[in-house]
Structures are given as structure tokens and as C-alpha cells.
Amino acid sequence: MKIAICQLGIHFEQKEKNRISAERFIHEAALSQASLIVFPEMSFTSFSMHTEIVGEELEETLNRMKEIALLEKIAIGFGWVKGKKQSENHYTIVDKNGAVLEDYVKIHPFSYSGEDQFFVKGVRPGSFVLNGIPFGVSICYDLRFPELYQQLSKEA
């Protein structure tokens, strides 16, 4: 399986501008026959505590990535913020048909930056299967908590 990893030069809190840029990378990954392209945490806004700006009530990013996945026939992993109050830091994987394979909410908000004051923590590990291969999902600071990976290792 070919997996494309994309790190954008993100324009802070400029969701639409960053999504347009990401779509070019998604197209290139699809042309190179990658099965999956993955983006970093808060992929199209950068790491922001301004949930009133980056948060989404109508799941615009999720819906747009579903459309692009279907159009380009590639699975996409991306981070986004759900809600403007009581926000959640999501990492979602959609398959090449635009179906959600996993919608993970970050379990360990980064308290040193105050993330825990703006984001509700998730309650379950995230995993999915793509092309018969099981994967685990985590976001950034989750890496500091080995028990999460012990649990994920049982299925991914």
C-alpha cells in the first residue's frame, strides 16, 4: 500500500485557503496511485484555540473531504475542529468512496497550551481497516500515553 504524508505550509486559521492547497496534494497523491493521504492535526487551520473561528457546526471540512475522496478515489486522513463551544479535536479517515472509516476525538488535550480549556476530550481509541490492513489513530500529545498504544496494538 502506498501512503502519502502531507505537511502543508498552513496559513493560520485560514481554512478555505488551506483546503484549496490540500486539494492539489490530494490530486497529486491520487495520480501517484496512493491509497491514502494523511494530513496533520487541525490540518487546515493550524493548532488554534480560537474555536469560535476554526470550529465547525455544519462539518464543512468533513463534507468537503468526503467529496474530494470520492472524486479523486483516494482515502484521506485529516484533522478538524467540531463545534464552536464544547469543541472537539477530530481526526477523521474517509475512504475512497467518501465513507467515514474512523472519526477519532483526541483523548489527551495538550494542557500545557491550554487546549484542555477549549476542547472536550475523547473517550475511546480510534482504529480503522483500509485494504485489509488495521490502523490505529491518535493525535499529537496522545503519543505521551503508552496505555493508549497498548490498547490499540490489540487491534491495529
Side-chain angles (χ1 to χ4, degrees):
M1 177 187 303
K2 183 187 270 189
I3 299 174
I5 301 171
C6 185
Q7 176 66 54
L8 297 171
I10 298 176
H11 300 276
F12 189 65
E13 297 177 347
Q14 295 183 36
K15 201 179 312 177
E16 188 58 30
K17 186 174 191 175
N18 293 316
R19 280 196 304 234
I20 290 168
S21 177
E23 289 177 18
R24 288 192 298 270
F25 287 105
I26 294 167
H27 181 71
E28 288 178 29
L31 285 177
S32 71
Q33 299 180 343
S35 298
L36 168 67
I37 182 169
V38 293
F39 292 90
E41 176 180 18
M42 295 187 192
S43 305
F44 312 120
T45 60
S46 192
F47 190 67
S48 172
M49 300 304 113
H50 299 130
T51 57
E52 71 283 358
I53 296 171
V54 301
E56 300 180 12
E57 300 293 345
L58 301 176
E59 302 180 350
E60 301 94 350
T61 296
L62 173 61
N63 293 326
R64 183 64 184 147
M65 290 300 108
K66 286 178 171 182
E67 292 171 4
I68 296 297
L70 183 58
L71 177 71
E72 296 288 354
K73 291 297 180 199
I74 187 172
I76 305 170
F78 57 96
W80 60 289
V81 176
K82 183 174 184 176
K84 293 181 181 289
K85 294 182 179 178
Q86 297 295 312
S87 301
E88 298 171 336
N89 185 344
H90 283 250
Y91 199 86
T92 303
I93 309 291
V94 295
D95 71 12
K96 67 181 181 179
N97 298 311
V100 174
L101 296 177
E102 177 58 57
D103 186 28
Y104 171 72
V105 177
K106 188 175 183 180
I107 293 176
H108 301 99
F110 187 55
S111 58
Y112 297 107
S113 70
E115 183 181 12
D116 59 331
Q117 296 173 27
F118 298 93
F119 292 87
V120 176
K121 66 181 178 177
V123 296
R124 64 168 184 79
S127 63
F128 66 98
V129 176
L130 182 66
N131 297 347
I133 301 170
F135 291 86
V137 180
S138 64
I139 301 175
C140 195
Y141 190 59
D142 285 335
L143 187 63
R144 299 283 187 173
F145 300 89
E147 64 277 2
L148 173 61
Y149 297 94
Q150 287 181 337
Q151 189 172 358
L152 282 171
S153 72
K154 295 174 184 167
E155 55 190 85

